Amino acid sequence: VLEQGVVMGNLPKVTTDPNLLEEQARKEMVLQRGFEYIRGSAGEAATMHANRLAFRSWKIIPRMLRATGERDLSVNLFGKKYRAPILMAPLGVQGTMHADKEIGNARACAELGVTFTLSTSASTGIEELVEAVPEGDKWFQLYWPQDDEITASILTRARKNGYQTLVVTLDTWVMGWRPSDLDTANIPFIVGVGDDVGFQDPVFRRKFAERTDGETPESSPVLAGLFWVGEVFSGNNRSWEEIHILRKYWDGPIVLKGVLSVEDAKLAVQYGLDGIIVSNHGGRQIDGCISSLDALEPIAQAVGSKITVMMDSGIRTGADIFKALCLGAQAVFVGRPVVYGLGIAGKEGAHSVLANLLADLDITMGLSGVKSIPELNPSRLARIQHPG
Ligand code: FNR
């Protein structure tokens, strides 16, 4: 535990208190606009708060005298063993958060055996990341372009470079109504920093040059940014019948991110997907949306035996991960906490946040009488709503 978490005697650079992390990032992040981007939630942040409240309504019932001195946190996903049920969620434009950007974050993940997911909107290119951080497991997240040729090019590059699983995000064909970005006029800034995956793509570059009479993303970054956003964020025309297109360019597991209803989870099974991520995008898309944890339980009951179910949105502690796994998730993704750490102290900050989460989960399991992940099930929880 000491090896994973805070080393006794050294004051940590990033707080270990999940309730203080956002405040520390607000004070200490050099890139303030990056902070507002991370903090952002849709509307009045009701969904983000619901994500947290849902975790609070479940309580762990610990068991005693079960010889849990040694714990095994490993899980099996798509036939491969992973060290722990924690993955780094795909978060775009990490160049807005710290100069270490995705490279620092991926390095921190690799050091801890945590899988890193590269976003389509990353500030780091597909090849660039693998060259900088060849070690560690990597998944790739797709914002599905309108243009199948660009889709094919991006997916082929990602697969060729060893990204293992494809995560297709369904809930962001347009960005949600996010006051923290709107009030700070943050969007042009965000778009301007976050297009390396797209800008480096040869098919995107050719099409952009054709449309603009020879411009390149370097000669005209704002125009290229707009072209890119129009290409990947206006895709609400896609339907279940088109999912098979992705299989042409991706022979590994394909996972849909942003599933919140039992009906859609069943469709994911019907259309042959390998997995789903129950997610409301950290409450950044629809205000007043069902919390991810509330959505998880019925979905896992309906399809958990047929498809790999994972979740994200609101994970802040080891206990949260314990609860999500009891309710049927096989793994969870973590978003904001890790990039607050990145924003505060670069790679070391991301490392601290992830290491602390691993240690917290490990301790919570041990104290609850659980030695390994398959022992987690609903009988270890009680739902108790305290008023107020
Ligand atoms: C995101 N998220 C996200 N999702 C995605 O599929 N592609 C992306 O590029 C991004 N970008 C992004 C940026 C930032 C700053 C945040 C906070 C989130 C959503 C992300 O993958 C995940 O669903 C949420 O972050 C999970 O919620 P928590 O852990 O932040 O509460």
Side-chain angles (χ1 to χ4, degrees):
V1 166
L2 291 184
E3 169 195 283
Q4 290 174 357
V6 177
V7 178
M8 300 296 257
N10 290 338
L11 276 184
K13 272 196 203 152
V14 177
T15 177
T16 58
D17 184 337
N19 291 325
L20 299 180
L21 184 57
E22 181 179 311
E23 211 36 49
Q24 188 187 0
R26 184 196 299 278
K27 288 199 192 110
E28 294 183 23
M29 267 181 69
V30 182
L31 302 171
Q32 267 305 304
R33 306 183 82 154
F35 169 76
E36 289 302 335
Y37 177 59
I38 299 170
R39 185 178 73 88
S41 299
E44 58 161 342
T47 307
M48 193 187 71
H49 290 300
N51 285 338
R52 293 299 306 138
L53 287 174
F55 281 105
R56 292 266 167 89
S57 72
W58 289 98
K59 320 287 176 190
I60 296 168
I61 309 170
R63 298 291 310 278
M64 301 299 148
L65 289 173
R66 293 169 73 91
T68 54
E70 297 275 317
R71 274 87 56 195
D72 176 4
L73 273 59
S74 68
V75 288
N76 198 296
L77 300 172
F78 312 116
K80 186 174 152 47
K81 189 176 172 185
Y82 291 85
R83 179 202 164 174
I86 304 175
L87 294 92
M88 181 63 216
L91 270 69
V93 290
Q94 294 180 26
T96 65
M97 302 165 191
H98 193 278
D100 288 359
K101 59 176 190 169
E102 287 83 1
I103 292 176
N105 195 344
R107 207 165 268 149
C109 288
E111 286 167 0
L112 292 163
V114 168
T115 298
F116 180 82
T117 311
L118 184 72
S119 161
T120 301
S121 305
S123 322
T124 307
I126 291 171
E127 296 82 4
E128 184 189 356
L129 183 74
V130 173
E131 274 159 33
V133 192
E135 67 280 12
D137 294 315
K138 293 178 193 66
W139 290 13
F140 183 75
Q141 175 264 328
L142 183 73
Y143 281 132
W144 193 347
Q146 306 290 292
D147 183 323
D148 287 347
E149 250 194 284
I150 296 178
T151 306
S153 177
I154 290 176
L155 293 187
T156 307
R157 286 167 57 211
R159 195 68 183 135
K160 204 171 87 191
N161 279 278
Y163 294 77
Q164 297 154 4
T165 296
L166 179 64
V167 174
V168 184
T169 301
L170 305 178
D171 58 15
T172 312
W173 56 273
V174 66
M175 274 171 83
W177 183 259
R178 297 184 198 157
S180 62
D181 284 332
L182 296 167
D183 283 356
T184 52
N186 228 356
I187 302 302
F189 168 71
I190 299 300
V191 170
V193 185
D195 8 57
D196 284 22
V197 167
F199 281 16
Q200 290 177 12
D201 187 75
V203 175
F204 174 80
R205 294 180 77 89
R206 172 168 57 75
K207 297 209 170 202
F208 180 63
E210 281 165 13
R211 294 255 195 106
T212 55
D213 233 4
E215 296 285 354
T216 64
E218 289 73 26
S219 67
S220 194
V222 175
L223 210 58
L226 291 173
F227 187 81
W228 175 244
V229 166
E231 180 57 51
V232 295
F233 291 124
S234 311
N236 205 25
N237 296 318
R238 295 287 186 186
S239 64
W240 288 98
E241 285 72 36
E242 288 178 291
I243 288 287
H244 69 95
I245 297 172
L246 299 172
R247 288 271 182 219
K248 280 201 245 170
Y249 314 113
W250 194 271
D251 58 4
I254 301 182
V255 168
L256 299 182
K257 176 171 183 275
V259 172
L260 289 167
S261 69
V262 171
E263 292 78 8
D264 284 347
K266 286 183 177 166
L267 283 168
V269 174
Q270 186 185 322
Y271 281 88
L273 276 306
D274 301 284
I276 53 174
I277 304 171
V278 178
S279 166
N280 57 31
H281 211 106
R284 292 161 76 78
Q285 288 300 92
I286 301 174
D287 199 19
C289 182
I290 186 168
S291 82
S292 237
L293 195 72
D294 286 328
L296 171 68
E297 198 194 6
I299 288 177
Q301 275 171 18
V303 301
S305 61
K306 301 184 183 126
I307 195 169
T308 298
V309 178
M310 297 168 282
M311 73 86 70
D312 76 17
S313 300
I315 298 282
R316 299 291 177 268
T317 67
D320 296 340
I321 300 168
F322 185 104
K323 293 173 188 177
L325 267 56
C326 285
L327 293 176
Q330 296 187 33
V332 303
F333 291 74
V334 187
R336 290 186 189 84
V338 184
V339 290
Y340 281 146
L342 182 77
I344 294 166
K347 186 211 96 171
E348 291 309 324
H351 183 108
S352 295
V353 172
L354 283 166
N356 293 338
L357 260 184
L358 284 163
D360 186 4
L361 173 63
D362 185 35
I363 290 172
T364 303
M365 281 171 53
L367 292 173
S368 305
V370 173
K371 263 207 279 218
S372 67
I373 301 293
E375 295 170 37
L376 296 174
N377 63 57
S379 77
R380 297 188 175 274
L381 302 181
R383 186 160 219 182
I384 299 166
Q385 304 268 17
H386 293 286

